[in-house]
Amino acid sequence: MKALKYLLASTLVAVIYIAGPGQSPALAVDAIPPGGSHDGVDVPQPIEFPHDIHVEVNKINCMYCHTYARRSKVAGIPPTSKCMGCHKIIATDKPRIQKLTEYWTKGESPKWKKVHDLPDFVHFTHERHIKRFVFDQDFPVEDVKEVCAFCHGQVKNMTVAHKVKPLNMGWCVSCHEANGGPGDCWKCHK
Amino acid sequence: MNGPVKRRDFLKMMGVSGVGGTLAGCDLPSTVTLEEGKEDVVSYFMPEEYVIPGVGVWFASTCLQCDAGCGIHGRVREGRFLKVEGNPDSPINKGKTCQMGQAGVQSHYNPDRITQPMMREGGKLIAVSWEQANSALKQKLSNAGKKIGWFTGTISGHQSALITNYLDAVDASTESHFTHDVVNAAVWQAVNKDMLGDSMPELHMDKAALILSFGADFLGTWVSPVHFAGKWGEFRSAEAGAGRGTLIQVESKMTLTGGNADLWVPAKSGSEGAIALGLVNYVIKNSPNAGNNISSEQQNLISSYSLEKVAQIAGTSQDYIKRIGDALIKRSPSLVLAGASVEGHEHGYDAVAAIMLLNIVLGNVGKTIQPSNATPFPQLQAKPGNTRDLIEFTNAAKSKKFDVVFFSGSNPVFTAPDSLGLKDALGNVGFKVAVSTFPDETTMQADLVLPLSSYAEDWGTHVPAYQEDRNIVAVQQPLMNNLYSDTKGLGDILLDLLKDKKPDEYGSYKDYYAYLQDAIKTLRGSSSIKEPEAGDLQFWNKTLKTGLIDVADQKNTFASTISTENVTIKLPEEKTDSAYPYQLAPVARLGLYDGRHANLPWLQESPDQISKVVWDSWAEMHPNTAKKIGVSHGDLIEVASENGSIKLKAYIIKGVHPDTIAIPLGQGHEEFGRYAKGLGVNPLKILTARTDSKTGELAMYATRVKVTALGKEDVFVRLGGNDTQVGRKFVRTIPVEVLKRTEGA
């Protein structure tokens, strides 16, 4: 009886989703963004990096720092030298920047903790996804954060990153099905 | 999200799968995700511009898995060396690699690597610091005076030059540097030197219509296998000048090359010289074009070798020999080669000379055998490893000639036959220093162990002994930083020794990298470089990019009259011994090679090319021999010589002469890490230490053995089941005549 209730309820949800693909009407990108959500844990980082100040206040593009996203399977954490490119001058009185400068003078990079991770048997590439959802359809690169948000959520409103999407197989597959992505096992498991 | 699924989560998940329009209760996405915040992710501090995380960068270097000197490209990602491919620029391997080259990664990341210096205290090797190691070494060296020696494998380039300079600096003679390798072509080189005036002539397989190979496994282990595999492709191509080439292999045990032959002829090892003379006799009689520069003395010798006599000596059919003779006359130019099974006898030199005589008579010299390039840098030239040095070293050690000996790149305790007495002789060496990457048998005998960097962490230059077409110096550069901070490169260790002796000359070099940069600057200035570029820095950068230095061609010349008169050929009657009725063939194979790769699981796991056995030792014998002895496939047997015995499994195969018991090299390690230790047996141990009478090389195929059946063995791991098609015609064939009749071909 209980199971039946779940089934009914889920069918209802499914119908709603099918009826309203593309929840974000403002988005010009030709894609059906993945749904789903995940209640990620708070991950303390060596420096509480404020994504909101960089993205929302200063309007810095995601790919200015995560510059490898369009070139490689990983988006990459920016090299410490890139941080210091600005922060030799900007906001040097702030405690977080002073901590960064300490790392810099020691010649070390901060040991960040991974928030978005996939198992080693999954081959995921940022490069291909950015190509599909940004470059292939001339989506304005300045708005790339809307595409990043498919999987990473609204990082522009976060300080340190917080996992808000499940990033599991069913979730990946559902998006691949909705957007005509490859369905072969070996595409990801190779 | 581990643990029981909450109702809310369940709904969410159903929602997700609903996006695609599918819905099924049994198709739930997994709720297992990786935990957040567990793994570290550290960015680069200040990377080079070309570095992209997740994208590999390829660096050119040189493979050191054998001594052929193949150029490689190593894939490096996030500072880690991950994959080997061939360097297409290299004239040695032209972009190809073999399985041993591929397994280089496993040598580098091997869990059994030596990570810190060790010193013998109370009979045991104890970990010490570099300071302790150096001060002990310094004291021993200063007490030793000039009684210092170096024992290495094949070595060339600046590392070799530094060893020479070091021995010079301590007033030891250059003869105190011994180079030892079991897999070698030392006798072949000696014969070429005497008969042609060029020890390593170029062998143009691509120009040959026929190759007759006496036990030369050129696709597996002989001289430069990857290079010859490329040439083999050209030789076999129908578009080649002479059309598709034919290979005839004469040997006592089928090698990888033998397995590829059009005609494989089983012959007793040691009879090849007689076969060659029989063929010379047959060719002279039946071909109007055969060379006639043969002395009357030799003519007498040759005419006594009739096909009938030869077939009887070789223990093979006369028809085979005649077919070979006819093929040699019909298909010209040809190329006749001699491998380890020819060299490994007391008359090995004479047998190889007889084979070279066949080449001369057939007119191959100058066509398929051409002068090689001389390197303009003789101090960098390869010192090829051999077995004569092993014997000489043993004798020198016995007579207490050395107080300190350095061992590097060779494992004589594993490769020396017990009958040679090396292990005892080593007791007479006051202080043995092993400069080593792995705890092999020799290293474990040492008094001091210096941890050597892997080949993917070290600098070096190498001059391959066999070169064709182009003349190069191959450059080795690190593909990544040291995995273990305490290991050091060979060049750095040598440089430290030299700094101590000649501070004026070497004191200014911070490390071997600095030395090599300067040395390559000197090479550039020598006018023997093909494209010296605009400046030293440009040249250095190009060298690192291409992984090699192109040296100007400078062809050797063959002796003005190629004649056979400077060698006398004497082939003794075969010694038979009813107590030891069989010949032992200790064969090297592509993979474990001489045993140096037994600690690489990939190579243990790759089946032997002929028997398909993995992770084990076995003795190959002919079905008739097996019947005589009373053993069947997989039975345990004991193979005994005058000098000891080994127990292993019998492998029954037709690809071996009935008088031969063939045992592959490589297994039987008593040390050498977790993957090698305690597997199989080492046939080298039971060899009788006879030598070739002219070169002093160990006669490796001259040992006679007897075989005793010991009963059933339960496990024999090999790939594949049958060597025949069991009458099922998996591969359909029809006779040529039928094809001609039906297809009109």
Side-chain angles (χ1 to χ4, degrees), chain B residues 593-606:
Chain B
Y593 206 63
D594 57 1
R596 69 180 69 176
H597 297 318
N599 63 342
L600 307 181
W602 283 350
L603 295 179
Q604 285 278 9
E605 190 83 19
S606 347

Side-chain angles (χ1 to χ4, degrees), chain A residues 40-62:
Chain A
V41 295
D42 290 328
V43 179
Q45 300 286 4
I47 298 171
E48 197 198 11
F49 178 86
H51 280 95
D52 46 0
I53 297 178
H54 289 81
V55 181
E56 198 56 15
V57 180
N58 294 314
K59 309 282 177 215
I60 297 171
N61 193 297
C62 304

Side-chain angles (χ1 to χ4, degrees), chain B residues 48-116:
Chain B
E48 299 286 349
E49 269 180 45
Y50 56 80
V51 170
I52 298 173
V55 176
V57 183
W58 296 83
F59 290 96
S61 187
T62 299
C63 181
L64 297 194
Q65 292 286 88
C66 80
D67 306 307
C70 293
I72 53 167
H73 281 169
R75 180 172 179 236
V76 181
R77 182 159 71 69
E78 278 102 86
R80 294 265 164 176
F81 158 50
L82 298 175
K83 178 81 168 77
V84 173
E85 294 293 355
N87 178 356
D89 282 346
S90 168
I92 309 285
N93 56 321
K94 300 200 169 100
K96 308 290 188 272
T97 58
C98 69
Q99 50 172 312
M100 302 196 295
Q102 288 294 329
V105 180
Q106 281 205 326
S107 157
H108 172 68
Y109 289 111
N110 200 296
D112 295 316
R113 277 185 55 184
I114 299 170
T115 56
Q116 74 227 87

Side-chain angles (χ1 to χ4, degrees), chain A residues 24-139:
Chain A
S24 169
L27 199 66
V29 60
D30 171 23
I32 302 164
S37 72
H38 172 84
D39 189 13
V41 295
D42 290 328
V43 179
Q45 300 286 4
I47 298 171
E48 197 198 11
F49 178 86
H51 280 95
D52 46 0
I53 297 178
H54 289 81
V55 181
E56 198 56 15
V57 180
N58 294 314
K59 309 282 177 215
I60 297 171
N61 193 297
C62 304
M63 289 201 296
Y64 180 78
C65 297
H66 299 289
T67 177
Y68 307 118
R70 65 165 90 174
R71 300 183 176 95
S72 170
K73 57 189 281 189
V74 296
I77 307 290
T80 314
S81 56
K82 181 159 244 167
C83 307
M84 291 307 289
C86 296
H87 286 296
K88 266 180 191 160
I89 298 156
I90 296 169
T92 49
D93 57 328
K94 299 280 173 17
R96 288 190 289 219
I97 302 305
Q98 282 160 358
K99 198 164 176 195
L100 173 71
T101 315
E102 258 173 55
Y103 279 106
W104 175 249
T105 33
K106 273 192 285 183
E108 284 173 14
S109 295
K111 250 191 184 177
W112 305 102
K113 291 285 177 196
K114 235 180 193 176
V115 176
H116 298 95
D117 197 7
L118 292 176
D120 290 346
F121 51 79
V122 178
H123 174 85
F124 170 85
T125 164
H126 279 87
E127 183 189 11
R128 190 66 189 82
H129 288 84
I130 300 280
K131 183 175 184 293
R132 159 70 176 82
F133 291 113
V134 180
F135 299 119
D136 275 2
Q137 48 186 297
D138 293 329
F139 182 76

Side-chain angles (χ1 to χ4, degrees), chain B residues 365-379:
Chain B
V365 176
K367 286 181 189 157
T368 54
I369 302 179
Q370 289 185 13
S372 63
N373 268 310
T375 168
F377 315 115
Q379 71 279 21

